[in-house]
Amino acid sequence: SGVYLVNFDSVVSVKIDDRAIVGNIYGYSHVSATAIYLEKGAHMLYVCAIMDVRMFGGAVPPKIKFSGKFERIDVDSASHGITVIPGDAIVPDLMDGRLATEYMSITVLNADITGQEVMTEEGSIDTLDGEPPPYHEPGWVQILDVRAYTDDGAQVKVGIPVIFSLKLAPGQVYPLPVELDFEIQSDGPAAFALNLQLDLVDLDTLEHFSIPAGRYELRRRTWGEVYKITFLDYDKI
């Protein structure tokens, strides 16, 4: 038994036992996963898909194809089940050495749902770990700060541009804004990399901890550069 991140592409929805999850219908790689708790043993998996030519074109009727994965999360590790989903990040370009915008966003998921209250067969309230519900519900964390470093270890100035406390409930996904406050030389490599780190506190135990929050590349652009956008349609043209 344990916590798993579930993500299914090219489906409308997925149902695992009695838990329904919205699917990633068009298979976009940046869609966040959902944290669920699974007991050891067999489970029923139901998948709802549709024959849509926009997704499965090239044959009549369209051939349905989908993929999915279950990723185990260790909520007892030093990260406390907090994970960052790199594919969900929004990162600005560098236009002639200047930031196109001073903000970026990363997606933080609190996968520690082991302390959530559930209904037992007798109708009483219990927790997933079998202990009675505490006064402070386990699993809640608060994001305190964000730090950024270049690949060579130099720290650069970043911050979180909000004035309220950033508390994450068990299972919550949060797009965290990050303010960039630094200058970059106009000449240099094609991309400038930032390595982020988050500082957090467990609101149940008051334990402070840090997690790596991913490496992000800010691509260099120049004024007048042509942008070519192409896509492959369902008829392969």
Side-chain angles (χ1 to χ4, degrees), residues 36-203:
I36 66 170
Y37 181 89
L38 294 177
E39 292 284 357
K40 183 178 180 180
H43 297 270
M44 295 297 296
L45 175 64
Y46 305 88
V47 176
C48 176
I50 58 176
M51 292 192 299
D52 188 338
V53 295
R54 291 172 294 177
M55 296 185 293
F56 310 117
V60 179
K63 295 180 180 179
I64 296 177
K65 298 179 181 179
F66 64 89
S67 61
K69 64 179 180 179
F70 291 75
E71 180 183 354
R72 179 70 181 268
I73 295 295
D74 184 6
V75 297
D76 296 323
S77 66
S79 68
H80 293 245
I82 306 301
T83 183
V84 176
I85 305 173
D88 270 356
I90 299 176
V91 182
D93 286 340
L94 295 171
M95 187 64 66
D96 286 337
R98 302 182 63 180
L99 292 167
T101 174
E102 59 191 32
Y103 299 101
M104 63 177 289
S105 174
I106 61 175
T107 300
V108 184
L109 166 64
N110 182 0
D112 185 4
I113 58 174
T114 55
Q116 284 187 306
E117 295 179 347
V118 295
M119 193 69 70
T120 65
E121 294 181 358
E122 292 78 16
S124 61
I125 293 197
D126 202 348
T127 55
L128 290 177
D129 55 14
E131 298 294 329
Y135 180 73
H136 296 289
E137 182 180 353
W140 280 76
V141 300
Q142 181 174 339
I143 300 174
L144 301 177
D145 199 6
V146 60
R147 288 176 283 163
Y149 301 87
T150 62
D151 284 342
D152 57 9
Q155 186 170 2
V156 294
K157 188 177 181 181
V158 296
I160 302 176
V162 297
I163 59 174
F164 52 86
S165 59
L166 296 173
K167 298 179 181 179
L168 271 65
Q172 182 178 355
V173 178
Y174 186 81
L176 178 68
V178 177
E179 185 175 12
L180 310 175
D181 186 15
F182 55 86
E183 296 181 357
I184 303 173
Q185 294 181 352
S186 58
D187 57 343
F192 176 84
L194 283 179
N195 300 277
L196 299 186
Q197 183 171 324
L198 292 181
D199 297 330
L200 307 98
V201 60
D202 186 316
L203 295 178

